[in-house]
């Protein structure tokens, strides 16, 4: 792959690590700041921050970080939400979920016996995004039924119309997660083809 | 672990079961035509189409789908088709509370099998892909849950399209609680496949990989 100037800069582990740590610190701060007001997004931010720190912990080196633009894909939606930037929040959320799935794929490949090529990683990302929508829906529903909360369900006693509206909204959410998951897969495919193979930059990982 | 050996049903008997169910589906199709019942015709025709899949794969791609897998697939689609048969207000789906869960778990198990086969083919075919058993277990679950969500989306879009065209829905969405339980029972089917079903699929995986040719390096 021919190295563009940008790619060259980023291939330097120190510059990359500095950028990545800055992103992680911002995400962690966003998680802490919104923990009470916006617990769901704070949770997502915390997941991004923890996953981002995994390479450094596993390699016991501050320089071992994911490619910074990969982290940025996961971090930007979370930060945008924290700073109240405009944008369709549900679509942003599922894009963040897809980016998290990609980070998981890269880390599984780098640090465990699991090995993936790009096509399988993309399949993994799309499938994980859809599954996240399903699990998230069931989790909200279960908590609502058991504890009487209103994460998904309308306030009780619920009218037929209110329930139908919730179901419709959920179907639209599922549809959205499908569209965003597939679109994110497309973006990542471009990223892998044009920008970099994350393995090339993770210190201590043998190149194939 | 082969289920067939545990159940003690021979290959011949399995083929007979499959034939019997196919005859039943044909009867349902004919009945639908005679009664001018669109839902009955569509459900029977779709089921018959799916049941032909193993034979088509074998004829066109030389994929040998073993008798046990064919029986599994045929049972799943037949139970669904029979469930939609309505006598007045009465149908298995309406009358038997667990029927919907049974068919969902069964059809999810087929989807899970497809997910497993896909992942295994990647694993066998590409040197750069290695998917150990614990990852595979998780992947089968994730794949099946994702397919369940996609299915709900398709149902929703189909229902929208068919009401927009002024017809009635071929597949009925029964409400939120039902959708949630569907997703849960899909996962049950996936767990069963991830735990017991993978041995059954070895021959399919091998056949698909053979079709794709030798091992390749990362594209």
């Amino acid at each position: 792959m021919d190295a563009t100037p940008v790619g060259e800069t980023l291939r330097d582990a120190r510059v990359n690590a500095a950028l990545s740590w800055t992103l992680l610190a911002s995400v962690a701060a966003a998680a802490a700041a919104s923990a009470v007001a916006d617990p769901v997004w704070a949770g997502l931010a915390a997941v991004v921050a923890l996953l981002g720190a995994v390479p450094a912990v596993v390699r016991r080196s501050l320089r071992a970080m994911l490619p910074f633009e990969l982290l940025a894909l996961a971090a930007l939606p979370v930060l945008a939400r924290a700073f109240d930037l405009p944008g369709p929040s549900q679509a942003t959320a599922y894009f963040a979920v897809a980016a998290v799935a990609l980070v998981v794929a890269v880390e599984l490949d780098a640090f465990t016996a699991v090995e993936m090529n790009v096509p399988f990683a993309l399949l993994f990302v799309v499938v994980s995004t859809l599954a996240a929508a399903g699990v998230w829906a069931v989790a909200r529903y279960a908590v609502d039924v058991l504890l009487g909360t209103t994460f998904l369900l309308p306030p009780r006693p619920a009218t037929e119309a209110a329930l139908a509206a919730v179901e419709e909204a959920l179907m639209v959410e599922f549809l959205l997660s499908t569209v965003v998951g597939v679109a994110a897969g497309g973006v990542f495919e471009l990223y892998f083809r044009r920008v970099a193979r994350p393995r090339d930059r993770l210190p201590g990982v043998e190149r194939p | 672990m082969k289920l067939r050996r545990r159940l003690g049903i021979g290959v011949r008997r399995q083929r007979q079961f499959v034939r019997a169910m196919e005859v039943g589906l044909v009867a349902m199709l004919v009945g639908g035509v005679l009664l001018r019942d669109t839902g009955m015709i569509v459900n029977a025709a779709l089921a018959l189409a799916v049941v032909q899949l193993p034979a088509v794969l074998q004829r066109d791609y030389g994929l040998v789908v073993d008798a046990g897998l064919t029986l599994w697939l045929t049972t799943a689609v037949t139970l669904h088709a029979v469930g939609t048969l309505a006598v007045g207000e009465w149908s298995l789906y309406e009358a038997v509370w667990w029927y919907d869960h049974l068919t969902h778990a069964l059809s999810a198990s087929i989807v899970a099998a497809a997910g497993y086969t896909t992942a295994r083919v990647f694993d066998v075919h590409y040197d750069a892909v290695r998917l150990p058993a614990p990852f595979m277990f998780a992947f089968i679950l994730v794949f099946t849950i994702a397919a369940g969500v996609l299915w709900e989306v398709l149902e929703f879009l189909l229902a929208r399209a068919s009401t927009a065209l002024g017809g009635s829905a071929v597949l009925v969405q029964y409400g939120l609680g039902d959708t949630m339980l569907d997703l849960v029972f899909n996962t049950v089917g996936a767990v069963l496949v991830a735990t017991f079903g993978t041995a059954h699929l070895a021959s399919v995986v091998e056949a698909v990989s053979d079709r794709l040719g030798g091992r390749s390096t990362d594209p």
Side-chain angles (χ1 to χ4, degrees), chain B residues 21-206:
Chain B
M21 283 189 274
E22 281 174 342
V23 170
L25 289 172
V26 171
M28 181 173 161
L29 183 64
V30 173
V33 172
L34 291 178
L35 295 168
R36 299 205 169 75
D37 183 333
T38 328
M40 212 167 144
I41 296 172
V42 170
N43 281 306
L46 281 179
L48 277 169
V50 174
V51 169
Q52 299 316 310
L53 211 58
V56 171
L57 286 175
Q58 187 149 358
R59 192 193 60 205
D60 292 355
Y61 298 100
L63 280 185
V64 182
V65 180
D66 81 29
L69 279 177
T70 310
L71 178 61
W72 180 11
L73 179 72
T74 310
T75 308
V77 296
T78 306
L79 283 180
H80 165 70
V82 169
T84 60
L85 279 176
V87 183
E89 288 290 288
W90 192 94
S91 76
L92 278 168
Y93 270 118
E94 298 283 349
V96 186
W97 67 269
W98 46 261
Y99 197 81
D100 184 41
H101 305 325
L102 175 71
T103 55
H104 261 277
L106 255 178
S107 36
S109 72
I110 305 283
V111 172
Y116 170 77
T117 306
T118 309
R120 272 294 292 162
V121 167
F122 265 100
D123 193 352
V124 173
H125 190 65
Y126 294 110
D127 279 332
V129 178
R130 202 187 313 153
L131 309 171
F135 176 84
M136 198 59 105
F137 190 94
F139 184 78
I140 293 173
L141 295 194
V142 169
F143 187 93
T144 312
I145 296 169
V149 170
L150 196 60
W151 175 255
E152 293 297 334
V153 169
L154 290 179
E155 269 187 340
F156 175 68
L157 292 178
L158 268 180
R160 268 307 162 81
S162 111
T163 38
L165 295 172
S168 60
V170 175
L171 291 162
V172 189
Q173 291 196 298
Y174 285 102
L176 195 59
D178 189 72
T179 303
M180 294 297 128
L181 278 179
D182 284 353
L183 288 176
V184 171
F185 278 92
N186 288 347
T187 314
V188 172
V191 171
L192 288 177
V193 169
T195 315
F196 303 110
T198 49
H200 260 294
L201 297 161
S203 61
V204 180
V205 170
E206 203 177 315

Side-chain angles (χ1 to χ4, degrees), chain A residues 131-153:
Chain A
V135 171
W136 181 228
V138 173
R140 278 179 294 173
Y141 181 81
V143 170
D144 283 356
V145 167
L146 294 176
L147 304 178
T149 46
T150 55
F151 288 110
L152 182 68
L153 291 173

